[in-house]
Amino acid sequence: MENLQAYGEFARVYDMFQDNVDYDVWGAWLKQQLKEYGILDGLVLDLGCGTGTMTELLAEAGYDMIGVDNSEEMLAEAMEKRVESGHDILYLLQDMQEFELYGTVRAVVSVCDSLNYITEEEELQHVFALVNNYLDPHGIFLFDMNTVYKYQTMIGDATIAENREEGSFIWENSYDEESGINTYELALFIPREDGLYEKTEEVHYQRAYPLEKIKELIQNAGMELLAVYDAYTMEPPKEDSGRLTFVVRENGKEV
């Protein structure tokens, strides 16, 4: 199953509903890992960059950022942030399963479970291989993914609803154990100038991959797994981890 549905209307209010994500903590962890591997500057790719929040944080830290996303609406939001910040960020409207860069980069990051949107094993392995291809020799790939536990226990078959002045949403989850696919049905209510609300609906699919499967796909793609953590900490994965972060290194190019 291919998830062709990019964020549409939701892009306009995405950041508002993501305010539970501590981007500063996540960004600090990413910067610390990059520093650990001697990557203090240079080109870094944010894969599935969305509205560019993390892209901006890393640009602020001195990295030459490239952002790739397949949603025009999300990139439009990112470009507005770029105008405000003045950072020289290159945004590319591309599917992460087929992204193309002009050359290699020192590191790639992918946050906010972007890779869970890839719902076929061979496609995820292909993305890992693409990343490997576009990394400098021994370049670093940092990414997070939601866990099977999260879909099964934390959000599976749950309905999340929020009502705010800027807009409201109803987010229904249904998790299929057999396929590992979690279906998000999103109903969004955005206030118009005339005081009425406009309703839009979107459907998104994410897949839960067991940790061992992710490790296998990384290896099959020719990359070297260096570490896995409970998300954005230095702690090992736990049985009830809802999200994991991975540190992976390019393999195969001559230094």
Side-chain angles (χ1 to χ4, degrees), residues 190-198:
I190 304 293
R192 300 190 315 207
E193 287 181 13
D194 62 7
L196 296 175
Y197 282 77
E198 192 170 319

Side-chain angles (χ1 to χ4, degrees), residues 221-241:
M223 304 193 85
E224 181 186 1
L225 178 63
L226 300 179
V228 187
Y229 299 107
D230 186 54
Y232 301 103
T233 71
M234 301 307 289
E235 301 294 318
K238 304 177 178 70
E239 280 187 21
D240 61 351
S241 294

Side-chain angles (χ1 to χ4, degrees), residues 1 47 95-99 110 113-132 141 143-146 207-223 246:
M1 181 190 299
L47 193 58
D95 190 311
M96 60 178 143
Q97 294 179 40
E98 300 161 2
F99 74 91
S110 186
D113 43 85
S114 293
L115 290 168
N116 288 103
Y117 279 100
I118 299 172
T119 54
E120 297 290 345
E121 287 178 15
E122 60 269 26
E123 289 170 0
L124 184 57
Q125 184 175 310
H126 177 64
V127 172
F128 290 154
L130 265 181
V131 168
N132 200 43
F141 181 29
F143 66 91
D144 71 33
M145 290 187 83
N146 285 338
R207 180 169 174 188
Y209 292 90
L211 177 55
E212 289 309 311
K213 176 55 69 177
I214 299 169
K215 288 180 177 178
E216 179 190 318
L217 296 177
I218 288 168
Q219 188 174 5
N220 290 349
M223 304 193 85
F246 296 78

